[in-house]
Structures are given as C-alpha cells and as structure tokens.
Amino acid sequence: MPTPSMEDYLERIYKLIDEKGYARVSDIAEGLEVHPSSVTKMIQKLDKDNYLVYEKYRGLVLTNKGKKMGKRLVDRHQLLEEFLTVIGVQEENIYKDVEGIEHHLSWDSITCIETLVEYFKRDSSRMDELKSLRSLMESE
C-alpha cells in the first residue's frame, strides 16, 4: 500500500499523463511544490514498487498497477470535492480541505461517502432539504 506521499505523486503523475500524455519531473515538482530531486527519489521508489517504469533521461510510464492506483486516487479526490460541495462547504475551502482529509479516510469510508453523494444526486429535493436544514441550523 502506498504512503500518503506516494499517493500524492501517483495522483499527480496520473493527472499529468491524462492531461498531457506525459509527466516530466519538472511538471511533477511544480504541481506538488517540491524540488526536482525529491521527485526523482520518489519516482525511483515508485519504480521499485512497480507503480511505474522509470528510465533516467527518458521519462516514465505508469504500469497497470500504477494506472489503477492513480485513477483510484484521482476518483477519490473528485468524490471528496463533490461531497464537500454537496454538504455546503465554501468553494474556496474545498481543495485545501480535501488535501487535508483524503489520506486519513479508509476506503470503506470513501465508499460510504460515495453512496451518500449518490443519494443526494438522485433526487434534487434531497439537496434542497439539506440546504434548508443547514440554513435553519446556522440561524439558531
């Protein structure tokens, strides 16, 4: 199982490859706000754990294991953003909050949150009810 730091790298690499078709050390470093040397060390670790194949000066390619985990991590991030939106968290707080909680939830909790989000999405009156309840509680 990858560490939270490994997850951040895998998520970033997966997104870069999905968006641009490739992931360079400099792009990863910029996205994660770390030094390129830190990226190189982590890439070597991810290569050792079979999440990607890295060839010095040639780039990297995610393995099937890395693609599967990367997609799972991106999906988790998007789900948590959607969840925080559904429950009414202010937009400017969502990204920071997701970054703060995503590594601390079990996959069981993620599945339960996914079910709850789906419950609200299936019937817009449920969303209206939740907003009304939130307004009521804020006014008390």
Side-chain angles (χ1 to χ4, degrees):
M1 199 63 177
T3 65
S5 181
M6 291 169 83
E7 287 183 348
D8 285 340
Y9 279 85
L10 281 169
E11 183 179 352
R12 185 72 192 135
I13 291 166
Y14 182 88
K15 285 174 75 172
L16 281 167
I17 291 173
D18 188 49
E19 293 166 5
K20 298 170 87 172
Y22 60 90
R24 297 182 312 201
V25 168
S26 59
D27 295 329
I28 299 165
E30 182 182 321
L32 295 175
E33 299 177 351
V34 296
H35 290 103
S37 59
S38 299
V39 174
T40 301
K41 285 179 191 170
M42 181 58 79
I43 286 174
Q44 291 168 344
K45 195 179 294 185
L46 292 168
D47 184 3
K48 182 176 169 269
D49 290 347
N50 300 311
Y51 287 103
L52 55 82
V53 176
Y54 173 65
E55 291 183 39
K56 197 171 183 178
Y57 307 115
R58 301 197 87 196
L60 59 94
V61 177
L62 287 172
T63 62
N64 284 338
K65 177 182 176 181
K67 287 178 191 173
K68 184 178 177 184
M69 181 57 74
K71 179 170 179 12
R72 190 175 187 196
L73 296 169
V74 167
D75 290 348
R76 174 183 71 184
H77 190 101
Q78 290 171 339
L79 172 68
L80 291 172
E81 283 186 357
E82 190 173 6
F83 172 65
L84 294 180
T85 300
V86 164
I87 63 172
V89 174
Q90 293 179 5
E91 192 173 333
E92 63 267 15
N93 296 327
I94 290 177
Y95 183 81
K96 181 177 60 81
D97 288 353
V98 169
E99 287 297 311
I101 64 172
E102 67 184 340
H103 301 296
H104 301 284
L105 295 171
S106 68
W107 288 103
D108 180 49
S109 293
I110 296 296
T111 301
C112 292
I113 289 170
E114 185 174 32
T115 302
L116 184 62
V117 167
E118 187 60 33
Y119 171 80
F120 282 108
K121 283 170 54 178
R122 285 190 181 188
D123 184 346
S124 61
S125 69
R126 294 172 183 155
M127 290 286 290
D128 295 337
E129 211 175 309
L130 180 63
K131 287 177 188 172
S132 296
L133 180 59
R134 184 169 182 226
S135 294
L136 180 65
M137 292 180 78
E138 286 175 351
S139 66
E140 290 180 352

Coordinates of all heavy atoms in Angstrom, one line a residue, residues 1-13 15 31-32 69-84 93-111 113:
M1 N 0.8 -1.2 0.0 CA 0.0 0.0 0.0 C 0.9 1.2 0.0 O 1.8 1.4 0.8 CB -0.9 0.0 1.2 CG -2.1 0.8 1.1 SD -3.2 0.3 -0.2 CE -4.5 1.4 0.0
P2 N 0.6 2.2 -0.9 CA 1.4 3.4 -0.9 C 1.2 4.3 0.3 O 0.2 4.3 0.9 CB 1.0 4.1 -2.2 CG -0.4 3.6 -2.5 CD -0.4 2.2 -1.9
T3 N 2.3 5.0 0.6 CA 2.2 6.0 1.7 C 1.4 7.2 1.2 O 1.2 7.4 -0.1 CB 3.6 6.5 2.1 OG1 4.2 7.2 1.0 CG2 4.5 5.3 2.5
P4 N 1.0 8.1 2.1 CA 0.3 9.3 1.6 C 1.1 10.1 0.6 O 0.6 10.7 -0.4 CB 0.0 10.1 2.9 CG -0.1 9.1 3.9 CD 0.9 8.0 3.5
S5 N 2.4 10.2 0.8 CA 3.3 11.0 -0.1 C 3.3 10.3 -1.5 O 3.2 10.9 -2.5 CB 4.7 11.1 0.5 OG 5.5 11.8 -0.4
M6 N 3.4 9.0 -1.5 CA 3.4 8.2 -2.7 C 2.1 8.4 -3.4 O 2.1 8.5 -4.7 CB 3.7 6.7 -2.4 CG 5.0 6.4 -2.0 SD 5.2 4.7 -1.4 CE 5.4 3.8 -2.9
E7 N 1.0 8.4 -2.7 CA -0.3 8.7 -3.3 C -0.4 10.0 -4.0 O -0.9 10.2 -5.1 CB -1.4 8.6 -2.2 CG -1.7 7.2 -1.7 CD -2.8 7.1 -0.7 OE1 -3.3 8.2 -0.2 OE2 -3.3 6.0 -0.4
D8 N 0.2 11.1 -3.3 CA 0.2 12.4 -3.9 C 0.9 12.4 -5.3 O 0.5 13.0 -6.3 CB 0.8 13.4 -3.0 CG 0.0 13.8 -1.8 OD1 -1.3 13.6 -1.9 OD2 0.5 14.3 -0.8
Y9 N 2.1 11.7 -5.3 CA 2.9 11.6 -6.5 C 2.1 10.8 -7.6 O 2.0 11.3 -8.7 CB 4.2 11.0 -6.3 CG 5.3 11.9 -5.7 CD1 5.3 12.2 -4.4 CD2 6.2 12.6 -6.6 CE1 6.3 13.1 -3.8 CE2 7.1 13.5 -6.1 CZ 7.2 13.7 -4.7 OH 8.1 14.6 -4.2
L10 N 1.6 9.7 -7.2 CA 0.8 8.9 -8.2 C -0.4 9.6 -8.8 O -0.7 9.6 -10.0 CB 0.3 7.6 -7.6 CG 1.4 6.5 -7.4 CD1 0.9 5.3 -6.5 CD2 1.8 5.9 -8.8
E11 N -1.1 10.3 -7.9 CA -2.2 11.1 -8.3 C -1.8 12.2 -9.3 O -2.4 12.4 -10.4 CB -2.9 11.8 -7.1 CG -4.2 12.5 -7.4 CD -4.8 13.1 -6.2 OE1 -4.4 12.8 -5.0 OE2 -5.8 13.9 -6.4
R12 N -0.7 12.9 -9.0 CA -0.2 14.0 -9.9 C 0.3 13.4 -11.2 O 0.0 14.0 -12.3 CB 0.9 14.7 -9.1 CG 1.4 15.9 -9.9 CD 0.4 17.0 -9.9 NE 0.7 18.0 -10.9 CZ -0.1 18.6 -11.7 NH1 -1.4 18.3 -11.7 NH2 0.3 19.5 -12.6
I13 N 1.0 12.3 -11.2 CA 1.5 11.7 -12.4 C 0.4 11.2 -13.3 O 0.4 11.5 -14.5 CB 2.5 10.5 -12.0 CG1 3.8 11.1 -11.4 CG2 2.8 9.7 -13.3 CD1 4.6 10.0 -10.7
K15 N -2.7 12.3 -13.4 CA -3.4 13.5 -13.9 C -2.6 14.1 -15.1 O -3.1 14.5 -16.1 CB -3.7 14.5 -12.9 CG -4.8 14.1 -11.9 CD -5.0 15.1 -10.8 CE -5.6 16.4 -11.2 NZ -6.0 17.2 -10.1
G31 N 3.8 20.9 -9.8 CA 2.4 20.6 -9.3 C 2.4 20.3 -7.8 O 1.4 20.6 -7.1
L32 N 3.4 19.7 -7.3 CA 3.4 19.3 -5.9 C 4.2 20.3 -5.0 O 4.3 20.1 -3.8 CB 4.0 17.9 -5.7 CG 3.2 16.7 -6.3 CD1 4.0 15.4 -6.2 CD2 1.8 16.6 -5.7
M69 N -4.1 2.5 -9.5 CA -4.0 3.3 -8.3 C -4.1 4.8 -8.6 O -4.9 5.5 -7.8 CB -2.7 3.0 -7.5 CG -2.5 3.7 -6.2 SD -3.8 3.4 -5.0 CE -3.4 1.8 -4.5
G70 N -3.5 5.3 -9.6 CA -3.6 6.7 -10.0 C -5.1 7.1 -10.2 O -5.6 8.1 -9.7
K71 N -5.8 6.2 -11.0 CA -7.2 6.5 -11.3 C -8.0 6.5 -10.0 O -8.9 7.4 -9.8 CB -7.8 5.5 -12.3 CG -9.3 5.8 -12.6 CD -9.8 5.0 -13.7 CE -11.2 5.2 -14.0 NZ -11.9 6.3 -13.4
R72 N -7.8 5.5 -9.1 CA -8.5 5.4 -7.9 C -8.3 6.7 -7.0 O -9.2 7.2 -6.4 CB -8.0 4.2 -7.2 CG -8.8 3.8 -6.0 CD -8.3 2.4 -5.4 NE -9.1 2.0 -4.4 CZ -8.8 1.0 -3.5 NH1 -7.6 0.4 -3.6 NH2 -9.6 0.7 -2.6
L73 N -7.0 7.2 -7.0 CA -6.7 8.3 -6.2 C -7.4 9.6 -6.8 O -7.9 10.4 -6.0 CB -5.2 8.5 -6.1 CG -4.5 7.4 -5.3 CD1 -3.0 7.5 -5.5 CD2 -4.9 7.3 -3.9
V74 N -7.3 9.8 -8.1 CA -8.0 10.9 -8.7 C -9.5 10.9 -8.5 O -10.1 11.9 -8.1 CB -7.7 10.9 -10.2 CG1 -8.6 11.9 -11.0 CG2 -6.2 11.3 -10.5
D75 N -10.1 9.7 -8.6 CA -11.5 9.5 -8.4 C -11.9 9.8 -6.9 O -12.9 10.5 -6.6 CB -12.0 8.1 -8.7 CG -12.0 7.8 -10.2 OD1 -11.8 8.7 -11.0 OD2 -12.1 6.6 -10.5
R76 N -11.0 9.4 -6.0 CA -11.2 9.7 -4.6 C -11.2 11.2 -4.3 O -12.1 11.7 -3.6 CB -10.2 9.0 -3.7 CG -10.2 9.4 -2.2 CD -9.1 8.8 -1.4 NE -7.9 9.4 -1.7 CZ -6.7 9.0 -1.1 NH1 -6.7 8.0 -0.3 NH2 -5.6 9.6 -1.4
H77 N -10.2 11.9 -4.9 CA -10.1 13.3 -4.7 C -11.4 14.0 -5.3 O -12.0 14.9 -4.6 CB -8.9 13.8 -5.5 CG -8.6 15.2 -5.2 ND1 -7.6 15.6 -4.3 CD2 -9.1 16.4 -5.6 CE1 -7.6 16.9 -4.2 NE2 -8.5 17.4 -5.0
Q78 N -11.8 13.6 -6.5 CA -13.0 14.2 -7.1 C -14.3 14.0 -6.3 O -15.1 14.8 -6.1 CB -13.2 13.7 -8.5 CG -12.1 14.2 -9.5 CD -12.2 13.6 -10.8 OE1 -12.7 12.5 -11.0 NE2 -11.6 14.2 -11.8
L79 N -14.4 12.7 -5.7 CA -15.5 12.4 -4.9 C -15.6 13.2 -3.6 O -16.6 13.8 -3.3 CB -15.5 10.9 -4.5 CG -16.5 10.5 -3.5 CD1 -17.9 10.5 -4.0 CD2 -16.2 9.1 -2.9
L80 N -14.4 13.4 -3.0 CA -14.4 14.2 -1.8 C -14.7 15.7 -2.1 O -15.4 16.4 -1.3 CB -13.0 14.1 -1.1 CG -12.8 12.7 -0.5 CD1 -11.4 12.5 0.1 CD2 -13.8 12.4 0.6
E81 N -14.2 16.2 -3.2 CA -14.6 17.6 -3.6 C -16.1 17.7 -3.8 O -16.7 18.6 -3.3 CB -13.9 18.0 -4.9 CG -12.4 18.3 -4.7 CD -11.8 18.9 -6.0 OE1 -12.4 18.9 -7.0 OE2 -10.6 19.3 -5.9
E82 N -16.7 16.7 -4.5 CA -18.1 16.7 -4.7 C -18.9 16.6 -3.4 O -19.9 17.3 -3.2 CB -18.5 15.5 -5.6 CG -19.9 15.5 -6.1 CD -20.2 14.4 -7.2 OE1 -19.3 13.6 -7.4 OE2 -21.3 14.4 -7.7
F83 N -18.4 15.7 -2.5 CA -19.0 15.6 -1.2 C -19.1 16.9 -0.4 O -20.1 17.3 0.1 CB -18.3 14.5 -0.4 CG -18.8 14.4 1.1 CD1 -20.1 14.0 1.4 CD2 -17.9 14.7 2.1 CE1 -20.5 13.9 2.7 CE2 -18.3 14.6 3.4 CZ -19.6 14.2 3.7
L84 N -17.9 17.6 -0.4 CA -17.8 18.8 0.4 C -18.7 19.9 -0.3 O -19.3 20.7 0.4 CB -16.4 19.3 0.5 CG -15.5 18.4 1.3 CD1 -14.1 19.0 1.4 CD2 -16.0 18.2 2.7
N93 N -12.6 26.8 0.2 CA -12.0 25.9 1.3 C -11.9 24.4 0.8 O -11.2 23.6 1.4 CB -12.9 25.9 2.5 CG -12.9 27.2 3.2 OD1 -11.9 28.0 3.1 ND2 -14.0 27.6 3.8
I94 N -12.6 24.1 -0.3 CA -12.7 22.7 -0.7 C -11.4 22.0 -1.0 O -11.1 20.9 -0.5 CB -13.8 22.5 -1.8 CG1 -15.2 22.8 -1.3 CG2 -13.7 21.1 -2.5 CD1 -16.3 22.8 -2.3
Y95 N -10.6 22.6 -1.9 CA -9.3 21.9 -2.3 C -8.5 21.7 -1.1 O -8.0 20.5 -0.9 CB -8.6 22.7 -3.3 CG -7.3 22.0 -3.8 CD1 -7.4 21.0 -4.8 CD2 -6.1 22.4 -3.3 CE1 -6.3 20.4 -5.2 CE2 -5.0 21.7 -3.7 CZ -5.0 20.7 -4.7 OH -3.9 20.1 -5.1
K96 N -8.3 22.7 -0.2 CA -7.4 22.6 0.9 C -8.0 21.5 1.9 O -7.2 20.7 2.5 CB -7.3 23.9 1.6 CG -6.4 23.9 2.9 CD -6.3 25.3 3.5 CE -7.5 25.9 3.9 NZ -8.1 25.6 5.2
D97 N -9.3 21.5 2.1 CA -9.9 20.5 3.0 C -9.7 19.1 2.4 O -9.4 18.2 3.2 CB -11.4 20.8 3.2 CG -11.6 22.0 4.0 OD1 -10.6 22.6 4.6 OD2 -12.8 22.5 4.2
V98 N -9.9 18.9 1.1 CA -9.7 17.6 0.6 C -8.3 17.1 0.7 O -8.0 16.0 1.1 CB -10.1 17.5 -0.9 CG1 -9.7 16.2 -1.6 CG2 -11.6 17.7 -1.1
E99 N -7.3 18.0 0.5 CA -5.9 17.7 0.7 C -5.7 17.3 2.1 O -4.8 16.4 2.4 CB -5.0 18.8 0.3 CG -4.9 19.1 -1.2 CD -4.3 17.9 -2.0 OE1 -3.3 17.4 -1.6 OE2 -4.9 17.5 -3.0
G100 N -6.4 17.9 3.0 CA -6.2 17.6 4.5 C -6.8 16.3 4.9 O -6.3 15.7 5.9
I101 N -7.8 15.8 4.2 CA -8.5 14.6 4.7 C -8.4 13.4 3.9 O -8.5 12.3 4.4 CB -10.0 14.9 4.9 CG1 -10.7 15.1 3.6 CG2 -10.3 15.9 6.0 CD1 -12.2 15.2 3.7
E102 N -8.0 13.5 2.6 CA -8.0 12.4 1.7 C -7.2 11.2 2.2 O -7.5 10.1 1.9 CB -7.8 12.8 0.3 CG -6.4 13.2 0.0 CD -6.2 13.7 -1.5 OE1 -7.0 13.3 -2.3 OE2 -5.3 14.5 -1.7
H103 N -6.1 11.4 2.8 CA -5.2 10.3 3.2 C -5.6 9.7 4.5 O -5.0 8.7 5.0 CB -3.7 10.8 3.3 CG -3.2 11.4 2.0 ND1 -3.1 10.6 0.8 CD2 -2.9 12.6 1.6 CE1 -2.7 11.4 -0.1 NE2 -2.5 12.6 0.3
H104 N -6.6 10.3 5.2 CA -6.9 9.9 6.5 C -8.2 9.1 6.6 O -8.7 8.7 7.7 CB -7.0 11.1 7.5 CG -5.7 11.8 7.6 ND1 -4.6 11.3 8.3 CD2 -5.3 13.0 7.0 CE1 -3.6 12.2 8.1 NE2 -4.0 13.2 7.3
L105 N -8.8 8.9 5.4 CA -10.1 8.1 5.4 C -9.8 6.7 4.8 O -9.0 6.5 3.9 CB -11.1 8.8 4.4 CG -11.6 10.2 4.9 CD1 -12.4 10.9 3.8 CD2 -12.4 10.0 6.2
S106 N -10.5 5.7 5.4 CA -10.4 4.4 4.9 C -11.2 4.3 3.6 O -12.0 5.1 3.3 CB -11.0 3.4 5.9 OG -12.4 3.6 6.0
W107 N -10.9 3.2 2.8 CA -11.6 3.0 1.6 C -13.1 2.7 1.9 O -14.0 3.0 1.1 CB -10.9 2.0 0.7 CG -9.7 2.5 0.1 CD1 -8.4 2.3 0.5 CD2 -9.6 3.5 -1.0 NE1 -7.5 3.0 -0.3 CE2 -8.2 3.8 -1.2 CE3 -10.5 4.2 -1.7 CZ2 -7.8 4.7 -2.1 CZ3 -10.1 5.1 -2.7 CH2 -8.7 5.3 -2.9
D108 N -13.3 2.1 3.1 CA -14.7 1.9 3.5 C -15.4 3.2 3.7 O -16.6 3.4 3.2 CB -14.7 1.1 4.8 CG -16.1 0.8 5.3 OD1 -17.0 0.3 4.5 OD2 -16.4 1.0 6.5
S109 N -14.8 4.2 4.3 CA -15.4 5.5 4.5 C -15.6 6.2 3.1 O -16.7 6.8 2.9 CB -14.5 6.4 5.3 OG -14.4 5.9 6.6
I110 N -14.7 6.0 2.2 CA -14.8 6.6 0.9 C -16.1 6.0 0.2 O -16.9 6.7 -0.4 CB -13.6 6.3 0.0 CG1 -12.4 7.1 0.6 CG2 -13.8 6.7 -1.4 CD1 -12.5 8.6 0.6
T111 N -16.3 4.7 0.3 CA -17.4 4.0 -0.3 C -18.7 4.5 0.3 O -19.7 4.8 -0.4 CB -17.3 2.5 -0.1 OG1 -16.1 2.0 -0.7 CG2 -18.5 1.8 -0.7
I113 N -19.2 7.5 1.7 CA -19.4 8.9 1.2 C -19.9 8.9 -0.3 O -20.8 9.6 -0.6 CB -18.0 9.7 1.3 CG1 -17.7 10.0 2.8 CG2 -18.1 11.0 0.5 CD1 -16.3 10.5 3.0

